[in-house]
Amino acid sequence: MEQDARDPDDPARLAEERAAQVEREAAEIRGVNVPIETEPPTTFRP
Amino acid sequence: MTAFAGVAELGEALRAKRVSAVELAHETLDRLEKNGPRYNAVASLLRARALREAAAADRALSRGDAGSPLLGIPYGAKDLLAARGAPTTWGAAPYRKQVFRADATAVAKLRRAGAVLAAKLAMVELAGGGGYRYASASLQGPGRNPWDTSRWTGGSSSGSGAAVAAGLVPFALGSETSGSIGTPSAYCGVTGLRPTYGLVSRHGAMALSWTLDKIGPLARSASDCAVVLAAIAGPDAHDATTSGKRFRPLDAEAARERVESARIGYAGEEIVELASPAARDALLRGVEELRRIVPRFVDARLPEDLPYAAMAGTVIGAESATIFAELIEGDRLDEMPDARQKAGFRAALRITARDYLQAMRLRSVLIARTREIFRDCDVILSAGRTATATPIEQALDAATLPPGASAARDAAAVPARRRGNVGLIPAGNLAGLPAIFFPCGLGSDGLPVGLQLVGPPFSEPLLVAIVEAYQRETEHHRARPASA
């Protein structure tokens, strides 16, 4: 495992890590397919 | 005399005139003032308001007008709820001078029920939005656990958990976006109730996530939570997301029947395989105690193909970054101490509409799937938290990582298989489901552990009835920290 030598609270390191987290979470949720043929109507209610 | 007394006990003492509401308020205020700093629990003491409200309660009591079970009962409110004329800091330095001109609806409803607001209680800054690393991410300092002040209270309703656990107030209001009532309840050994999304108005409460925030009570018992929930639930013209539904507990006969016939959905691997050594045995004993009261256990598991943490992270990130965009893009964010939290807020500004909407779309899938689960069971049982309270200096994202690893790099190394109902807190919040958190004993380290029950929307009467039955047969909710 690659070690990051920077302080764990280093702002630059945290900026990279949190940006990577956003990307990772995006990939996870994009990875779940919702078939549009059977998708129910939107949940928005005025 | 009144420390650690519950709502019903105090109400009985007030009606019997063994104590006046003003005397009770003085005792509570003095306790908060003297002991609150030990736990960093108090954001502001509302002495003048409390004595004014208590005097009004005494006048009502002297007229024989004792219809409300909360008449003259003191409490504290998490500092994200507005209280007229008092500081409402949201736990964060950029808002330390903020004052609102009106009470939040939940606070106003408690005022109308005769309750006495004694203090605003400390919280993690901005209810933890952005994702903090250290317990010190709070304007009042790290929440110190009354069971061991070198341990954390849990967050973000840190002061609410500590103040109830230490006997400073009989109940408190907290809020949960994803875990902020449950975690302090579990770590501090108190009972907490997260209502169904929309059951309690959020008007006057800081918004962290419009589609996830809920206001709920922390108290010494399920019965006390029910009394508070009955007062704060219901429609509110100021909050269009309120459901219009109210909460009324089941009567004794209906409660007995519903509890006896209830089906408890349980998986258990999240306790057997994932609980910390200090917590595991007490959690499993608690499960067996509950099984003696509600014997019908069935296997129930959350869907394994939905990424709950990523869904919650995306929704909370996108909504909170929009809400706090001006703060994040300005200079005042740097007044907040937690570097990870600030980096998280900044990164969340870059969440795309596509990803936010995909996360919301998956919530609809989750809601449909949880409906299917609740065809086969009435409630889901799991650990409140699978570990006891963390040391106050420990990085909160460190417990799950090997030494030297970074959160970003190693999340990909987490095993894909979800064990039992380990994601119940984010999943339950994403689906808007109610939950009750209740203590089930002490871990081998002497710290509280607790269980949670999650039910379908608006199943609070059953959740309360089950835990009331459990608390009639056990004494865990009466345990007190030695230092308090």
Side-chain angles (χ1 to χ4, degrees):
Chain A
M1 183 183 304
E2 185 187 347
Q3 297 283 317
D4 192 327
R6 291 174 292 179
D7 185 295
D9 294 315
D10 175 75
R13 173 175 173 172
L14 283 165
E16 289 170 23
E17 289 181 351
R18 300 310 301 273
Q21 183 179 348
V22 165
E23 288 305 314
R24 192 175 61 251
E25 291 179 347
E28 277 190 72
I29 59 176
R30 288 178 200 171
V32 181
N33 182 43
V34 182
I36 57 175
E37 299 84 356
T38 55
E39 187 169 15
T42 173
T43 54
F44 176 76
R45 283 180 299 191
Chain B
M1 156 194 157
T2 57
F4 294 101
V7 169
E9 190 182 342
L10 291 173
E12 203 273 324
L14 285 163
R15 286 186 292 277
K17 309 222 182 302
R18 290 197 298 277
V19 66
S20 73
V22 167
E23 288 168 340
L24 186 53
H26 274 298
E27 287 182 25
T28 303
L29 290 161
D30 291 348
R31 269 199 308 273
L32 285 159
E33 189 169 54
K34 180 182 172 198
N35 297 333
R38 192 185 301 172
Y39 315 113
N40 292 329
V42 178
S44 55
L45 202 62
L46 306 183
R47 190 172 285 277
R49 174 175 175 150
L51 293 174
R52 194 170 61 244
E53 291 182 341
D58 277 334
R59 288 194 295 275
L61 285 159
S62 68
R63 292 194 301 266
D65 180 16
S68 166
L70 291 170
L71 186 59
I73 307 293
Y75 77 102
K78 184 175 181 177
D79 203 26
L80 63 53
L81 290 156
R84 184 165 56 92
T88 299
T89 69
W90 299 343
Y95 302 97
R96 69 192 323 153
K97 293 181 179 169
Q98 179 170 251
V99 176
F100 291 93
R101 295 172 64 181
D103 287 343
T105 294
V107 171
K109 287 189 173 192
L110 287 173
R111 173 168 42 81
R112 290 197 286 274
V116 173
L117 179 59
K120 304 294 289 299
L121 298 174
M123 58 183 281
V124 174
E125 50 194 359
L126 305 184
Y132 52 107
R133 171 166 283 162
Y134 299 109
S136 56
S138 171
L139 185 57
Q140 286 75 35
R144 294 190 177 276
N145 196 311
W147 290 86
D148 177 348
T149 54
S150 74
R151 300 289 182 128
W152 188 39
T153 52
S156 64
S157 306
S158 51
S160 302
V164 174
L168 307 184
V169 288
F171 76 89
L173 291 182
S175 74
E176 172 149 330
T177 304
S178 188
S180 287
I181 289 175
T183 303
S185 296
Y187 283 0
C188 294
V190 303
T191 304
L193 201 159
R194 177 187 82 212
T196 305
Y197 178 82
L199 183 61
V200 177
S201 168
R202 287 99 45 90
H203 174 65
M206 186 204 90
L208 177 66
S209 168
W210 302 294
T211 66
L212 281 157
D213 297 339
K214 282 86 55 185
I215 310 295
L218 295 89
R220 305 206 58 74
S221 67
S223 300
D224 285 358
C225 284
V227 169
V228 179
L229 184 61
I232 63 175
D236 179 14
H238 297 297
D239 181 353
T241 64
T242 50
S243 63
K245 294 181 187 295
R246 298 180 189 278
F247 165 78
R248 291 288 176 272
L250 299 169
D251 65 48
E253 181 61 19
R256 190 183 59 77
E257 288 176 8
R258 292 288 311 280
V259 170
E260 281 179 5
S261 63
R263 299 162 300 170
I264 304 279
Y266 181 62
E269 292 98 335
E270 71 273 22
I271 298 176
V272 173
E273 297 179 22
L274 293 180
S276 72
R280 185 181 298 119
D281 288 351
L283 287 168
L284 292 172
R285 279 196 301 274
V287 170
E288 291 312 307
E289 286 171 344
L290 187 68
R291 196 193 296 269
R292 286 198 285 277
I293 295 160
V294 191
R296 203 166 159 201
F297 273 44
V298 299
D299 189 78
R301 284 155 205 280
L302 294 169
E304 291 193 355
D305 56 344
L306 293 174
Y308 304 121
M311 291 161 64
T314 302
V315 174
I316 297 169
E319 295 187 8
S320 64
T322 304
I323 291 162
F324 289 107
E326 189 177 339
L327 173 73
I328 298 166
E329 292 177 326
D331 298 331
R332 303 202 69 186
L333 185 68
D334 283 326
E335 294 177 29
M336 290 167 46
D338 198 283
R340 184 176 188 273
Q341 186 172 20
K342 289 182 282 194
F345 265 133
R346 292 186 176 112
L349 280 175
R350 294 195 291 274
I351 294 172
T352 66
R354 173 191 172 184
D355 294 324
Y356 173 73
L357 290 167
Q358 175 71 358
M360 294 298 280
R361 190 184 198 189
L362 296 183
R363 288 177 76 178
S364 297
V365 174
L366 171 64
I367 288 167
R369 305 269 286 276
T370 56
R371 263 190 228 115
E372 292 171 16
I373 293 172
F374 288 120
R375 285 192 196 122
D376 299 323
C377 67
D378 297 298
V379 296
I380 299 171
L381 170 67
S382 187
R385 298 290 304 193
T386 51
T388 54
T390 50
I392 208 118
E393 306 295 344
Q394 180 177 308
L396 299 172
D397 55 340
T400 55
L401 297 174
S406 82
R409 266 182 240 287
D410 296 313
V414 172
R417 187 174 75 87
R418 178 175 292 125
R419 283 176 274 194
N421 288 316
V422 69
L424 191 55
I425 285 181
N429 278 286
L430 287 162
L433 305 177
I436 190 163
F437 299 83
F438 56 104
C440 68
L442 300 178
S444 59
D445 53 6
L447 295 168
V449 296
L451 298 169
Q452 65 171 312
L453 288 170
V454 176
F458 307 107
S459 63
E460 286 88 348
L462 177 61
L463 296 175
V464 166
I466 292 173
V467 179
E468 283 182 327
Y470 179 83
Q471 292 181 336
R472 279 195 297 273
E473 299 295 324
T474 59
E475 295 290 323
H476 305 305
H477 63 298
R478 299 188 201 283
R480 301 177 185 184
S483 70

